[in-house]
Amino acid sequence: MSIADLRKDYKRASLSETDTVADPIIQFQQWFNEALTSEVPEANAMSLSTVGEDGRPSSRTVLIKEINDKGFTWFTNYHSRKGRELLHHPFAALLFHWIELERQVRIEGRVERVSAEESDTYYYSRPVGSQLGAIASRQSEPAASRYEIEARLDAVKSQFGEHPVRPEHWGGYRVVPDRIEFWQGRPSRLHDRIVYIKDADNSWIKQRLQP
């Protein structure tokens, strides 16, 4: 079978304007909870897309760590490639794909750093090994070998032991959304797409998009 012949007809569910609530954050939380209840593998995994100074996009998978009325939060190294790109272009797109539920959610918006207090709270909730790794890793920088990375981790362990301190170069980002689209797979590729767009009055406008 060729790649062109790979296909699946989606028949699990439908999505209408009346199925969705007025607030897309609440709608997302409902879908996210359904993904968790359905035991979708790594339901909190999302693709994060940013744009470099040269205008070229880049994507990677990260884990969502907080969802509230402020937006969608994840944590990373501020000196990483995505951190450098967000410094110059503070906008991003997120994509959740829960294939078992035949659903996607696309989120777009401005990106801001969370407060130091929020970053501290999450950092110190992590396993000690992850805390040490955040200090040791010069994320996105070249490494001569795996040994170099592990040697840095050993040095950090010797310095901090079981009580590492959150480095200033590590913390949270929040996407403040202005566009959220909910996608439900349907037969014959006539998928349901309901999009919320924030208007000039900071209110959400909901509409159906053609598949």
Side-chain angles (χ1 to χ4, degrees):
M1 181 181 292
S2 71
I3 294 175
D5 291 328
L6 294 173
R7 59 176 53 85
K8 177 183 177 181
D9 212 19
Y10 300 117
K11 301 177 180 179
R12 185 184 179 98
S14 62
L15 183 66
S16 71
E17 292 84 342
T18 56
D19 291 332
T20 53
V21 300
D23 187 330
I25 303 296
I26 295 175
Q27 180 64 43
F28 179 88
Q29 290 170 328
Q30 290 179 358
W31 270 25
F32 186 72
N33 289 335
E34 289 179 27
L36 293 175
T37 301
S38 301
E39 298 184 344
V40 171
E42 295 201 89
N44 58 332
M46 61 185 186
S47 296
L48 164 66
S49 297
T50 53
V51 177
E53 287 188 86
D54 56 3
R56 296 180 59 169
S58 62
S59 299
R60 73 288 288 163
T61 300
V62 298
L63 301 179
I64 190 74
K65 290 301 177 181
E66 187 173 13
I67 307 157
N68 56 32
D69 57 0
K70 295 180 182 179
F72 299 79
T73 300
W74 79 95
F75 294 83
T76 191
N77 187 314
Y78 291 144
H79 296 166
S80 64
R81 179 179 177 181
K82 55 186 170 296
R84 296 193 301 268
E85 291 179 343
L86 288 170
L87 182 64
H88 295 283
H89 295 283
F91 294 89
L94 308 175
L95 172 65
F96 290 84
H97 186 197
W98 300 310
I99 191 168
E100 292 81 0
L101 301 180
E102 300 174 357
R103 287 175 172 174
Q104 297 184 68
V105 184
R106 300 169 62 187
I107 300 160
E108 301 172 23
R110 177 176 51 83
V111 178
E112 62 186 19
R113 288 190 185 185
V114 305
S115 68
E117 291 75 17
E118 290 174 275
S119 292
D120 282 345
T121 297
Y122 176 65
Y123 180 81
Y124 293 114
S125 75
R126 306 176 85 205
V128 172
S130 297
Q131 295 179 33
L132 293 167
I135 299 173
S137 175
R138 293 169 174 164
Q139 194 175 116
S140 302
E141 295 298 318
S145 65
R146 178 74 187 184
Y147 173 80
E148 177 187 341
I149 298 170
E150 293 176 348
R152 277 189 53 80
L153 180 59
D154 289 341
V156 169
K157 286 180 180 178
S158 297
Q159 180 179 357
F160 292 100
E162 296 294 308
H163 302 285
V165 178
R166 180 179 69 86
E168 292 185 1
H169 65 258
W170 191 97
Y173 286 105
R174 178 185 293 116
V175 172
V176 181
D178 53 34
R179 182 184 179 98
I180 302 179
E181 179 188 323
F182 296 85
W183 181 99
Q184 178 70 59
R186 294 297 303 277
S188 301
R189 295 297 186 262
L190 292 176
H191 311 303
D192 288 326
R193 299 173 63 189
I194 304 295
V195 66
Y196 296 75
I197 300 174
K198 189 167 283 188
D199 65 13
D201 296 326
N202 220 33
S203 299
W204 289 104
I205 306 299
K206 179 171 61 171
Q207 61 183 178
R208 176 177 288 273
L209 299 179
Q210 297 195 40

